[in-house]
Amino acid sequence: MALFEADLPPMTTSIGHATADGIWVQGYDLAQELMGEVDFGGVFFLLVSGRLPTLGESRLFNAVLVALADHGLTPSALAARLTFTGAPEAIQGAVAAGVLGAGSEFLGVFENAGRMLRRAGPIPDDDDQALQRLAVGIVDSYRSRNQRLPGFGHPFHKGGDPRVVRLLGLAREHDLCGPHVRLMLRVESLATSSSGKPLPLNAGGMCGALLCDLGIDTAALRGVAVVSRAAGIVGHIAEEARAPIGRALWYMAERETHYQPRRGPHAPGAEQEDDRG
């Protein structure tokens, strides 16, 4: 055992450390240099990137967090409210229930879009034709596998996601439209549905591209979305506590869902099968 322990590499962290008279986060004194001086978005950026953002980066990163904070009674909000209905004494369980569904359909688009862009390889800066070829390659690759492009289309914003317009405007205002955003916009010009209709870029896709340009590690992209939506979920739970709808949702599901057995003597067509037998 001693030999095994001697072979272990030293364990280090730069995230946080506490002493008898201070708390340190990424090399900054939490109480003196961050609290009251840097907003939560800036500290979150510091935690995932290792540096404080510039003024423009801070404004854009905070806008990304705001963009996904809430979108109404989405599956994540419903999961949180219904879990709170069953266990109101454990709000952490309801928050967890709301974010556990972060995947390809909801919240995971940040990561999926970022991986798509970063898998494309080096993105040319001043070569429009090379950038177009890269975009064509991405679209053709997904079409050949019959897979949906991550970050495109929206169940409600058929004509375009208003958050994309705002985020793109902020990025241009602060000169933060980097190569990943430029490539994503080229992909958007080629993205179409199976019926041939154009697929507009959604907020998840734009946020994924922006975060890539801000240097956020791919592994952390979905985490940014989860932190953003967690704020909205806590808001839903706070409302559920004072104006509950969880039981109404449960009763509505019971009322509107019809039991239909697939097997047994009461299954549809069972009598006909018996007659033929």
Side-chain angles (χ1 to χ4, degrees):
M1 181 63 71
L3 178 62
F4 174 76
E5 292 175 351
D7 289 341
L8 286 174
M11 295 186 292
T12 64
T13 178
S14 65
I15 302 299
H17 176 64
T19 63
D21 55 358
I23 302 171
W24 303 88
V25 174
Q26 292 284 31
Y28 289 88
D29 185 314
L30 177 67
Q32 300 301 321
E33 297 178 294
L34 298 178
M35 294 174 63
E37 303 297 329
V38 182
D39 63 22
F40 176 74
V43 172
F44 186 24
F45 188 93
L46 171 67
L47 287 167
V48 296
S49 70
R51 65 180 180 86
L52 285 173
T54 66
L55 182 61
E57 288 173 335
S58 177
R59 192 175 178 207
L60 186 59
F61 189 71
N62 274 284
V64 166
L65 293 175
V66 171
L68 210 70
D70 187 65
H71 209 144
L73 288 174
T74 58
S76 57
L78 293 173
R81 282 179 179 262
L82 290 171
T83 302
F84 185 77
T85 299
E89 73 282 359
I91 186 175
Q92 71 275 15
V95 175
V99 299
L100 281 174
S104 59
E105 296 293 328
F106 302 97
L107 303 180
V109 179
F110 278 38
E111 178 184 343
N112 297 343
R115 289 190 183 278
M116 176 186 74
L117 296 171
R118 282 178 166 154
R119 273 198 304 262
I123 302 173
D125 287 331
D126 301 315
D127 190 336
D128 287 344
Q129 291 184 345
L131 191 65
Q132 185 69 12
R133 286 194 298 269
L134 213 55
V136 169
I138 289 174
V139 173
D140 287 348
S141 174
Y142 276 82
R143 283 176 179 166
S144 68
R145 300 193 304 268
N146 198 30
Q147 292 180 340
R148 188 172 64 186
L149 283 163
F152 292 90
H154 197 280
F156 300 119
H157 308 306
K158 302 295 186 182
D161 193 323
R163 296 169 295 178
V164 170
V165 177
R166 179 60 172 158
L167 288 167
L168 185 57
L170 286 170
R172 286 172 171 161
E173 178 185 342
H174 294 285
D175 196 25
L176 292 171
C177 275
H180 296 93
V181 170
R182 292 197 298 271
L183 178 56
M184 188 62 105
L185 293 176
R186 288 298 181 103
V187 172
E188 181 184 29
S189 70
L190 302 168
T192 57
S193 66
S194 57
S195 62
K197 294 182 179 179
L199 286 175
L201 182 61
N202 60 41
M206 174 56 79
C207 289
L210 288 169
L211 292 175
C212 284
D213 282 338
L214 288 175
I216 304 301
D217 189 86
T218 306
L221 294 178
R222 188 177 305 195
V224 175
V226 167
V227 169
S228 170
R229 184 54 58 87
I233 288 172
V234 173
H236 277 278
I237 295 170
E239 184 179 72
E240 186 67 25
R242 66 176 182 270
I245 63 172
R247 288 188 178 274
L249 291 168
W250 169 27
Y251 296 154
M252 181 179 67
E254 285 284 344
R255 184 178 65 249
E256 299 297 330
T257 304
H258 304 286
Y259 175 66
Q260 183 172 308
R262 296 180 63 186
R263 296 181 179 85
H266 301 290
E271 292 183 2
Q272 291 86 337
E273 289 180 7
D274 291 342
D275 291 341
R276 287 195 299 272

